[in-house]
Amino acid sequence: MGRYVARRLLQMIPVFIGATLLIFLMMYSLPGDPVRALYGEQSLDEAQIAAIKADLGLDVPLWQQYWNYLTGLFQGDFGTQIASRREVADVIADALPVTVRLALFAFVYTVLVGISLGVIAGLKAETLLDRGMLIFTLLLISVPSFVLGYLAQFVFAFKLDLLTPTVRDSENWTELAMPAIVLGSLSLAYVVRLTRTSIVENLRSDYIRTAVAKGLPRRRVVGVHLLRNSLIPVVTFLGTDLGALLSGAIVTEGIFNVHGIGRTVFLALNHREGSTVVGIATLIVIIYLCASLIVDLLYAVLDPRIRYA
């Protein structure tokens, strides 16, 4: 296990460098001058522009800018914003806790509700309940998130007056309930379908027939033998989905006025704040790599046949 983890960590290094380099090049290779764009129609002396670029490290070749950024990362330096001269690490520190709370709420909702509905649909395959679950999940997949968000606001906030239409206090879990459910609804649909399909497939397996023939209680057959093996594809999806949730959902955060990572990226793109976008994207890459490693390690927990040399 230790050698496998060490090998995976080494494999992450070129992936991390390649991903961050690609993002960096896409942001800083865009046409136009971000310093000039910041001041709009104001007339600036060329010496002032050169001084600002030198202060921000934008006066050197692109490859050197990336090298300076990469070396600064190991010291916790994600760069500096052009407009406010604020450290990007401070911007991330303000937005990330909000997105983490929202993402964890959505993730727990997706796992508990999605797996439960998937197991029920799988055990009741080809029944009216299973077909109803299919229609429900297809509806969630088909409806865009912004439509679902406005619909949830209209029903639960304006009509039923159960929840607030926007988030005024990001530390209040009750106010985060509606955006979290909207954010996790698409993932919920996929989890239900994956769990249902895996359950139906494993119900035909020899080890399930053996467990039933041995007279094991149905709860043990389903909860231990069937569910553990059926969760492998679900865990794979949830691992990548957790990274997507933590990276922030621009549409959902915008609808419910959540000041998280998604909204920060949107504002940074509008203002050509490349350092902010690259810093947040770097954090997302790290989250995805860690989630991928954790998912691979969970395979051996779920299926005893899997061993890591």
Side-chain angles (χ1 to χ4, degrees):
M1 176 71 76
R3 292 177 61 184
Y4 174 79
V5 173
R7 188 168 66 250
R8 283 298 307 273
L9 291 175
L10 290 175
Q11 291 172 350
M12 287 181 182
I13 296 175
V15 174
F16 173 79
I17 293 176
T20 53
L21 177 61
L22 182 62
I23 296 167
F24 192 92
L25 292 176
M26 286 193 299
M27 281 305 304
Y28 286 97
S29 298
L30 292 175
D33 190 333
V35 177
R36 291 184 182 276
L38 172 66
Y39 291 95
E41 299 296 329
Q42 300 180 32
S43 58
L44 280 179
D45 186 80
E46 291 297 329
Q48 291 178 292
I49 295 176
I52 294 174
K53 288 185 175 180
D55 186 41
L56 295 171
L58 300 176
D59 60 335
V60 296
L62 197 58
W63 67 266
Q64 190 173 346
Q65 291 182 38
Y66 175 72
W67 175 254
N68 294 337
Y69 172 75
L70 200 61
T71 53
L73 281 178
F74 294 99
Q75 302 173 6
D77 182 10
F78 283 81
T80 305
Q81 286 189 330
I82 298 175
S84 63
R85 302 299 178 88
R86 189 182 178 195
E87 294 292 329
V88 175
D90 295 334
V91 176
I92 295 175
D94 289 342
L96 185 61
V98 179
T99 299
V100 167
R101 283 191 288 270
L102 179 64
L104 288 180
F105 200 140
F107 185 75
V108 172
Y109 158 73
T110 300
V111 171
L112 295 181
V113 178
I115 293 178
S116 299
L117 294 180
V119 171
I120 294 172
L123 295 176
K124 302 289 184 180
E126 304 303 329
T127 63
L128 184 62
L129 177 64
D130 181 35
R131 292 187 175 89
M133 205 73 70
L134 173 62
I135 296 173
F136 170 69
T137 53
L138 289 178
L139 184 63
L140 288 180
I141 294 172
S142 304
V143 176
S145 57
F146 66 89
V147 174
L148 194 61
Y150 285 124
L151 183 63
Q153 279 183 329
F154 177 75
V155 175
F156 295 106
F158 299 119
K159 285 296 183 181
L160 301 179
D161 198 24
L162 296 176
L163 299 169
T164 56
T166 58
V167 176
R168 293 168 294 189
D169 181 10
S170 60
E171 295 185 0
N172 189 332
W173 290 91
T174 304
E175 294 188 7
L176 288 176
M178 187 158 54
I181 291 174
V182 172
L183 180 60
S185 292
L186 178 61
S187 303
L188 172 75
Y190 286 119
V191 169
V192 172
R193 299 311 304 163
L194 277 173
T195 307
R196 184 262 179 199
T197 303
S198 190
I199 288 286
V200 171
E201 181 180 349
N202 286 317
L203 274 174
R204 307 189 188 100
S205 302
D206 293 337
Y207 67 89
I208 295 297
R209 296 193 186 98
T210 303
V212 173
K214 289 170 61 178
L216 294 179
R218 180 176 174 80
R219 182 169 55 182
R220 180 172 178 80
V221 172
V222 174
V224 177
H225 298 280
L226 178 61
L227 189 58
R228 282 181 59 181
N229 290 280
S230 300
L231 285 181
I232 291 178
V234 180
V235 167
T236 303
F237 171 79
L238 289 174
T240 56
D241 185 60
L242 179 59
L245 293 175
L246 286 174
S247 65
I250 296 177
V251 175
T252 305
E253 291 186 0
I255 293 174
F256 295 98
N257 193 35
V258 180
H259 294 190
I261 291 294
R263 184 175 182 272
T264 303
V265 170
F266 177 74
L267 294 176
L269 288 171
N270 280 342
H271 295 94
R272 289 291 302 274
E273 290 285 358
S275 57
T276 305
V277 177
V278 173
I280 293 175
T282 300
L283 181 64
I284 294 170
V285 170
I286 295 173
I287 291 172
Y288 269 108
L289 290 175
C290 293
S292 175
L293 176 60
I294 293 172
V295 166
D296 286 349
L297 295 178
L298 283 176
Y299 288 157
V301 176
L302 294 173
D303 192 344
R305 296 171 297 180
I306 298 176
R307 289 291 181 267
Y308 296 113

